Amino acid sequence: MERVNKMVAEKPVVIFSKSSCCISHSIKSLFCDFGVNPAVYELDEIPRGGEIEQTLLRLGCNQEVPAVFISGEFVGGANEIMSLHVRQSLKPMLKRAGALWV
């Protein structure tokens, strides 16, 4: 848990992903299209990625990836992020986090 807490504190937006997951790719692309430069951790490519997956599940992630943290807080997976985007709540959240300047 401590390791994940340190990772999510590194940048305003942190995404835990898997390199082979098309849904994760879509979420990463959405943030990049906004001009956000998130910290992205590909759990299938980093040491002890499986342990991090288990920690994410304990934190309330319904699925392991994608798991998005904004301002150090778990926001959710793809469904939650897309819902925020459709409701036009995602960009203001990113602005408050200091991840978006426009």
Side-chain angles (χ1 to χ4, degrees), residues 7-78:
M7 295 167 90
V8 302
E10 289 178 6
K11 288 188 108 176
V13 178
V14 177
I15 302 172
F16 292 95
S17 175
K18 286 190 178 176
S19 61
S20 60
C21 176
C22 62
I23 301 298
S24 292
H25 176 76
S26 297
I27 296 300
K28 292 182 288 188
S29 294
L30 176 68
F31 282 101
C32 290
D33 288 348
F34 287 159
V36 173
N37 185 24
V40 177
Y41 295 100
E42 302 291 356
L43 297 179
D44 56 337
E45 295 179 352
I46 62 172
R48 299 172 64 187
E51 291 177 24
I52 294 171
E53 281 184 75
Q54 294 304 312
T55 300
L56 293 172
L57 289 171
R58 286 193 300 275
L59 288 174
C61 299
N62 292 335
Q63 298 176 314
E64 298 91 7
V65 295
V68 179
F69 289 77
I70 299 176
S71 295
E73 297 293 322
F74 175 60
V75 176

